[in-house]
Amino acid sequence: MNTAATESASAGPERSGARRRLSRSTVLGIIAAIAAVLAVIDQITKNWAEANLPLLEPQPFLGEFLQLTLLYNTGAAWGMGSEITPVVTCLQIAIVIGVIIFALKAVRSPWYTVALGLILGGALGNIHDRLLRDPSPFHGAVVDFLELPNWPVFNIADMGVVGGAILIVVLGLFGVAADPAADAAEPDPAQSPSSTPEEQR
């Protein structure tokens, strides 16, 4: 048996994983870029909605399927938690911290990087409203304006958070690791120390 060929074959998965594996600085850079773009788009669309939409009056956009309805939400989805706005704000800040810690410690996958960028950008977009909009810091109302049938009115930031969360769930269901090297590092049972050379053949 050709020793060089054997070494090349056994190193194949690890090298493949290494090619897909991003460096920590690349992960953080991509997450920051996605988050920044999403947060800016979120604020631009919210400012547009405030300037052009009447309060609580649905405006058809894609027929009855998607309407534009401006409202101010001091709680979470369906207005829940409107009495504890500071708690909702702190939870969103905790999400941001959790995303950053997860990215630093465990994420080297391109797909997970995109998902965390979406979640971070969405969370920052709504945190901006909570901290800087009326009536006061930590009590600010989030601007929502997109309405689907039988669904709470939402905004671009919400789309980022939900989209990123769905992507992470899908990646988990398909067994995609947050760090490709984790898969590459798993020992091959056929090459385990307990197996004999005859068994490996």
Side-chain angles (χ1 to χ4, degrees):
M1 181 181 291
N2 190 314
T3 303
T6 303
E7 292 176 350
S8 175
S10 63
E14 183 175 355
R15 290 177 180 174
S16 177
R19 286 197 298 269
R20 299 193 307 270
R21 191 174 191 260
L22 302 178
S23 67
R24 179 179 299 172
S25 59
T26 300
V27 167
L28 295 179
I30 294 174
I31 289 176
I34 294 174
V37 170
L38 182 59
V40 168
I41 293 174
D42 175 65
Q43 290 303 310
I44 290 175
T45 54
K46 286 174 177 175
N47 291 336
W48 175 87
E50 287 189 295
N52 294 278
L53 298 177
L55 186 64
L56 299 177
E57 294 183 15
Q59 307 294 310
F61 184 68
L62 294 178
E64 297 297 320
F65 176 73
L66 176 62
Q67 301 184 82
L68 304 179
T69 305
L70 175 65
L71 62 80
Y72 295 93
N73 184 8
T74 57
W78 282 287
M80 294 185 296
S82 57
E83 301 83 7
I84 53 171
T85 304
V87 175
V88 176
T89 305
C90 290
L91 287 175
Q92 291 176 330
I93 294 174
I95 289 174
V96 170
I97 296 172
V99 165
I100 295 173
I101 293 174
F102 183 43
L104 286 171
K105 288 182 174 291
V107 175
R108 297 295 181 270
S109 158
W111 284 111
Y112 275 88
T113 298
V114 171
L116 292 187
L118 293 173
I119 294 173
L120 181 62
L124 289 175
N126 284 335
I127 288 172
H128 173 279
D129 291 10
R130 303 288 186 189
L131 296 179
L132 300 180
R133 291 184 184 273
D134 293 335
S136 62
F138 283 87
H139 293 81
V142 172
V143 177
D144 290 330
F145 62 95
L146 299 170
E147 183 175 12
L148 294 173
N150 304 312
W151 195 259
V153 182
F154 59 98
N155 54 46
I156 300 298
D158 297 331
M159 292 172 61
V161 173
V162 173
I166 291 174
L167 180 54
I168 287 179
V169 170
V170 170
L171 292 172
L173 291 175
F174 280 89
V176 179
D179 185 346
D183 286 339
E186 291 181 359
D188 185 349
Q191 301 296 329
S192 61
S194 61
S195 60
T196 65
E198 289 76 11
E199 291 173 337
Q200 292 178 12
R201 295 194 191 106

